[in-house]
Amino acid sequence: MKRVAVLISGRGSNLGALIAAARAADYPARIALVIANRPDAAGLALAEAAGITTRVIDHRPFRGDRAAHEAAIDAGLAEERIETVCLAGYMRLLTPLLVGRWAGRMLNIHPSLLPAFPGLDTHARALAAGAKLHGCTVHLVTETMDSGPILAQAAVPVLPDDDADRLAARVLAQEHVIYPLALALHATGRPARSPAPDARLLNPLPDASARP
């Protein structure tokens, strides 16, 4: 069973999905550590309630020295004998120090169908671009942001009345499905396969041919 650390900065929505999945007896990974770079990250309480070890490694005392901050994170990971790292709403750009040490063993979830819309504000950008499909991606972390090998993806349609918040909510529901799946498959060394999107999302309107 792989020992996994989850790095967070905020509410820990995807952290909650990973914790829930890891409760299953046959799940091949255990969430052994949660690290936050902000002491007020709400996800810390979620982890503590689940009996998971937590650490706050605040970036602010490092005064912009990102490598030193990441060295402290790496030391914490080593102390807890972590084998795999999951980024879940971790709002810090990583340096080659941490990325290099965890190459092939660090996963991230991104709210778009990469390679489309890397970076921030993905839902608003998808709407502005007139995208018909949007979604989320789990990928391995590399030195180039949001460009690592893709492990799993899920798509949702962009509906005519969508705004960024409505679209984000449907994408988030799929994030909670594919992140535990991708972590499980990565932990067992098997290639990931994206689950089919919810049929209700693909067919938001009743089939006219089925109407009386």
Side-chain angles (χ1 to χ4, degrees):
M1 193 176 289
K2 294 285 187 181
R3 290 178 60 82
V4 175
V6 183
L7 273 56
I8 63 170
S9 294
R11 61 182 175 172
S13 173
N14 275 299
L15 167 63
L18 293 172
I19 291 173
R23 291 193 181 107
D26 59 349
Y27 195 78
R30 173 191 170 199
I31 311 303
L33 176 66
V34 172
I35 295 178
N37 69 302
R38 296 177 56 92
D40 60 349
L44 289 168
L46 186 67
E48 290 166 359
I52 298 169
T53 300
T54 63
R55 296 191 183 204
V56 175
I57 304 179
D58 194 335
H59 63 278
R60 289 170 295 184
F62 290 86
R63 300 183 183 277
D65 188 343
R66 290 194 296 150
H69 179 239
E70 290 180 9
I73 291 173
D74 191 57
L77 298 173
E79 287 175 15
E80 295 295 334
R81 307 185 315 280
I82 297 301
E83 299 169 275
T84 302
V85 175
C86 289
L87 307 181
Y90 187 70
M91 303 304 291
R92 299 277 295 172
L93 288 175
L94 299 180
T95 74
L97 184 150
L98 202 60
V99 173
R101 290 186 183 179
W102 291 90
R105 298 182 295 151
M106 180 180 285
L107 285 63
N108 183 49
I109 187 150
H110 181 75
S112 81
L113 292 172
L114 292 173
F117 310 117
L120 301 175
D121 302 319
T122 60
H123 311 304
R125 289 162 59 201
L127 290 170
K132 301 302 182 185
L133 280 177
H134 190 43
C136 49
T137 303
V138 181
H139 64 94
L140 293 177
V141 176
T142 62
E143 291 187 22
T144 303
M145 183 181 67
D146 298 333
S147 66
I150 290 172
L151 302 179
Q153 291 185 305
V156 301
V158 179
L159 304 180
D161 62 346
D162 268 337
D163 60 19
D165 289 339
R166 282 193 289 269
L167 184 56
R170 292 205 315 284
V171 170
L172 184 61
Q174 294 302 311
E175 291 180 35
H176 294 169
V177 174
I178 68 166
Y179 211 172
L181 170 70
L183 174 58
L185 294 175
H186 184 268
T188 57
R190 291 182 289 159
R193 292 188 304 164
S194 300
D198 191 324
R200 292 168 296 175
L201 295 176
L202 288 178
N203 300 283
L205 299 176
D207 183 352
S209 65
R211 293 174 184 170

